[in-house]
Amino acid sequence: MLLTLADAAEPCDTLSELHSDAQTVYWLARCPQTGDMQLWQWRANSSELPHCLVEEAVGSRVNQYGGGSYTPLLGGVVWVRQHDQAVMQLGCHGTSYCLQRRPQTAYGGLCADPKRQRVIAVEEDAHGQRLVAVTDSDRQVLAEGADFYGAPIISDDGNYLAWVSWSLPHMPWQRSQLHFANIAADGTLQAFESWDFGAAISQPQFGPHNALICMSDHAGWWQPWQVNLATPICLNSPPVDHITTPWQLAERQHAWRGNRQVYCQLHQGAAQLYRRTGEQVEALLPDPGRVASITLAEHGDYAIVQSATSGAQLIRFNKNGSRNCLVGKVEGNVTQNLVTENSATAQWLETPVGNEGETVHGFFYSALANRAAPLIVRVHGGPTAAAYPIYDPLVAYWQQQGFHVLDINPRGSGNFGRRYRECLAGQWGISDTEDVIALVNAACTRFAIDTARCFIRGQSAGGFTALNALAATPLFAAATSLYGVTDALTLSAKTHRFESGYLGWLIGDELQLAQRSPTYHVTRCQRPLRALFIQGGKDAVVVPEQTHAMAWHIEQHGGQAQTLLFDNEYHGIRHPKARQTMLDRELVFYHSSHITTAPRS
């Protein structure tokens, strides 16, 4: 039994933002009918089934990418209502009401302060960002002056607050600072301390005895450091990343409680989850994959994970080493068997590029056919996000349709250390294009690929790479750009504040911004190009005008451009029906595209 188009359209990120309190586990789950995130809960150690607590769309729009869109508080929960960014509270008696709503203002990074019956949040409006405390009768500004704020966290005793800040032109994974303060009786902050290691600091947490622990990559990798000591010390020294690139607020991929800690390590782009209890360390996952969120409570240790054989799952890890899947497809059920029978697992692929010792790598998925098959290359967004060797129903669907799939992590991708990420400094539009071409050539040498039918697709920043690669080499028959960057110069003038300084670091000055862009390369390409553009009408990151202009350029130079616009979508296509329409159109597009004469690799 094959996967359907509806199966293929199901996104991988169906679960996120895990929290817990003394009795309950909370998480966000994507609604199958609307694609919106809803708030769910499960009463630990009870016979109750998980149930939806907040049915309306929950989500922050701070920095456009959100995160930290709810928090448990005093037996209830506080969340950000997606459509108007109002801060809402659901009390322990089931009554909901608005805590805070301000025009043209977004909230995110929510953190509970139960000692004062309030919530700490990042507040963003046209004037900038600040850290605020919100109650049902008051709003108090706690910190301001930096361009951006994130990851507020309060110690268990309620006496201390830690958070991260950064300022333009930096992104939070380039240069950021950690802050720590006492919370006074009136709720204000006192006795400030700060740490700046000349690199990036992320995901602060309080450990036993108010030990302040953060992830810092000043030694080359995201590693846990305890900083409130005379000399900061590294608590886990293996030279691998322990968290992913912080695109969203309030991510949590390490947690500490009593004498135990649960944390990640990423090897060859896959995350393993570990639990340390005293001196004993155990691996919690049978196979590495992706770890989205972690929370620890007296009633158990919980994580949202993905693997090569399952979609997103909420797992409870028990003290005796056993595990229970609370939400998601359970391994061994009928659907799971279909997954393993109808998809091939990832094969690691790596090839030399650039300077001596540099390589590019990715994950290759073979078509379910014993013949030379067409290839679809996928380039992730960011460009500092990453591809993982996890089960993706879209990849499985394409395999069943007779396509190989190659997920590439070009230089600049996250999860491979600071040096790999910073290879992209001043090189976007050059090294990423080189990486794609090199890895596809390596794949064509190693696997049976129909070289007349190689396609490339990319989303957001990945669309920039996909279109540049299409123009740079006859290797690709066609490209799909999903809300992709086409004109870096225009983007730098029109994009949102969070990324307003990023393009200067990635590319350079205005001349370089223009000359690295797909619009520039398309007008100089000597052969007609074929591309499909998929765009959200409400996208504020890559505005629709960019996409329409790029399609026009391709057609003006003898190529073929198709545009699929979804009026009510933002930066990403979320509604299930829209996703099905998108994927159906994309499949037809690939079937109708090929190179008349196969290119040389």
Side-chain angles (χ1 to χ4, degrees):
M1 182 176 177
L2 299 180
L3 296 173
T4 66
L5 186 64
D7 295 327
E10 182 177 332
C12 291
D13 59 343
T14 53
L15 303 174
S16 67
E17 295 200 31
L18 189 57
H19 281 285
S20 60
D21 59 22
Q23 293 85 30
T24 308
V25 183
Y26 305 86
W27 64 95
L28 295 182
R30 200 170 295 283
C31 174
Q33 288 73 41
T34 66
D36 294 329
M37 283 299 196
Q38 299 173 316
L39 180 56
W40 284 65
Q41 73 168 21
W42 175 68
R43 297 285 183 184
N45 301 321
S46 75
S47 58
E48 296 179 17
L49 294 174
H51 71 276
C52 184
L53 188 64
V54 178
E55 294 186 355
E56 65 181 355
V58 176
S60 165
R61 289 187 182 156
V62 172
N63 301 331
Q64 294 294 322
Y65 300 103
S69 42
Y70 81 95
T71 184
L73 178 66
L74 300 173
V77 67
V78 176
W79 76 95
V80 179
R81 191 164 58 190
Q82 186 181 60
H83 79 271
D84 64 356
Q85 293 296 282
V87 180
M88 306 293 295
Q89 180 163 9
L90 180 69
C92 56
H93 300 297
T95 303
S96 63
Y97 53 94
C98 180
L99 279 182
Q100 185 73 218
R101 179 171 54 197
R102 296 164 69 89
Q104 305 300 312
T105 302
Y107 292 90
L110 269 59
C111 169
D113 183 1
K115 187 173 182 179
R116 297 160 192 87
Q117 301 183 36
R118 64 181 187 174
V119 169
I120 311 298
V122 178
E123 181 183 83
E124 179 182 63
D125 57 24
H127 303 290
Q129 290 188 2
R130 61 209 63 87
L131 209 58
V132 299
V134 175
T135 68
D136 57 2
S137 60
D138 188 32
R139 168 188 166 273
Q140 184 179 40
V141 176
L142 299 178
E144 56 186 339
D147 287 334
F148 300 97
Y149 291 86
I153 186 76
I154 288 181
S155 59
D156 287 344
D157 61 15
N159 293 331
Y160 305 100
L161 176 70
W163 68 95
V164 171
S165 74
W166 66 98
S167 292
L168 293 171
H170 300 299
M171 300 296 284
W173 51 85
Q174 294 173 327
R175 181 77 179 267
S176 56
Q177 295 77 41
L178 175 65
H179 306 274
F180 171 87
N182 296 351
I183 307 177
D186 63 356
T188 59
L189 303 184
Q190 298 178 343
F192 290 82
E193 294 184 61
S194 295
W195 291 266
D196 185 341
F197 297 136
I201 299 176
S202 188
Q203 296 194 26
Q205 297 285 320
F206 283 100
H209 311 295
N210 289 332
L212 181 55
I213 301 159
C214 68
M215 292 290 175
S216 175
D217 69 348
H218 65 276
W221 308 88
W222 294 110
Q223 295 166 310
W225 289 77
Q226 182 174 346
V227 298
N228 55 345
L229 299 168
T231 302
I233 61 170
C234 184
L235 301 179
N236 209 318
S237 59
V240 296
D241 279 338
H242 290 62
I243 62 170
T244 57
T245 312
W247 276 92
Q248 292 188 308
L249 302 175
E251 293 176 308
R252 187 185 294 109
Q253 291 161 316
H254 69 117
W256 310 71
R257 187 179 182 90
N259 70 334
R260 71 187 193 277
Q261 54 184 276
V262 176
Y263 60 93
C264 298
Q265 287 183 359
L266 288 131
H267 300 268
Q268 285 196 334
Q272 178 54 273
L273 191 62
Y274 297 94
R275 177 167 58 192
R276 180 189 300 272
T277 307
E279 297 300 317
Q280 181 181 357
V281 178
E282 57 182 319
L284 297 178
L285 301 177
D287 300 298
R290 185 176 189 177
V291 177
S293 191
I294 298 170
T295 188
L296 307 186
E298 288 297 329
H299 45 79
D301 301 339
Y302 303 85
I304 293 173
V305 301
Q306 296 166 274
S307 74
T309 56
S310 69
Q313 295 179 316
L314 170 52
I315 304 292
R316 176 180 178 176
F317 301 97
N318 302 310
K319 293 180 180 179
N320 61 5
S322 64
R323 36 183 271 166
N324 306 105
C325 179
L326 303 178
V327 179
K329 295 181 175 66
V330 181
E331 294 181 16
N333 69 10
V334 175
T335 304
Q336 185 63 42
N337 289 337
L338 289 175
V339 168
T340 52
E341 290 172 8
N342 291 291
S343 63
T345 55
Q347 301 178 64
W348 176 260
L349 184 64
E350 186 171 14
T351 196
V353 290
N355 300 319
E356 184 177 355
E358 292 182 354
T359 63
V360 61
H361 30 71
F363 304 104
F364 186 86
Y365 301 83
S366 298
L368 302 182
N370 295 318
R371 54 180 171 75
L375 172 70
I376 298 174
V377 180
R378 301 200 305 177
V379 188
H380 62 69
T384 54
Y388 297 81
I390 58 174
Y391 173 70
D392 184 334
L394 178 56
V395 171
Y397 179 75
W398 279 334
Q399 290 175 282
Q400 293 170 5
Q401 297 293 324
F403 292 87
H404 299 305
V405 180
L406 174 60
D407 276 349
I408 182 171
N409 280 313
R411 283 171 290 175
S413 299
N415 300 348
F416 301 96
R418 186 177 180 92
R419 180 181 176 186
Y420 194 79
R421 207 169 62 242
E422 293 200 325
C423 283
L424 207 57
Q427 294 298 305
W428 196 37
I430 299 176
S431 67
D432 52 317
T433 304
E434 293 173 351
D435 290 354
V436 165
I437 295 170
L439 201 63
V440 172
N441 280 328
C444 289
T445 301
R446 180 172 171 183
F447 303 103
I449 292 173
D450 180 353
T451 56
R453 299 172 66 202
C454 288
F455 309 104
I456 185 167
R457 81 189 302 259
Q459 59 189 51
S460 191
F464 178 92
T465 302
L467 292 168
N468 273 343
L470 177 68
T473 173
L475 186 61
F476 298 107
T480 299
S481 170
L482 296 94
Y483 37 94
V485 177
T486 61
D487 184 344
L489 182 59
T490 300
L491 180 67
S492 67
K494 291 189 175 181
T495 194
H496 58 133
R497 182 169 166 270
F498 177 62
E499 295 182 73
S500 60
Y502 195 26
L503 287 170
W505 182 88
L506 286 169
I507 297 177
D509 60 23
E510 289 190 357
L511 178 62
Q512 292 170 314
L513 288 170
Q515 292 182 348
R516 301 280 183 85
S517 298
T519 49
Y520 179 88
H521 295 294
V522 163
T523 59
R524 285 153 180 78
C525 188
Q526 298 301 307
R527 55 194 167 78
L529 304 177
R530 185 174 172 85
L532 170 64
F533 295 92
I534 297 167
Q535 177 71 42
K538 296 182 178 179
D539 193 339
V541 179
V542 176
V543 295
E545 290 77 13
Q546 269 208 35
T547 292
H548 295 310
M550 184 64 184
W552 181 85
H553 278 297
I554 288 177
E555 291 180 339
Q556 288 296 303
H557 289 81
Q560 299 178 45
Q562 301 177 26
T563 302
L564 183 58
L565 180 69
F566 295 99
D567 291 335
N568 293 317
E569 294 285 352
Y570 293 85
H571 194 62
I573 310 303
R574 292 299 186 188
H575 195 282
K577 292 297 183 184
R579 288 180 62 83
Q580 290 181 47
T581 299
M582 172 185 79
L583 297 179
D584 184 53
R585 178 79 166 269
E586 191 176 355
L587 186 62
V588 171
F589 176 70
Y590 294 145
H591 280 311
S592 64
S593 303
H594 66 278
I595 299 173
T596 304
T597 302
R600 295 178 182 177
S601 43

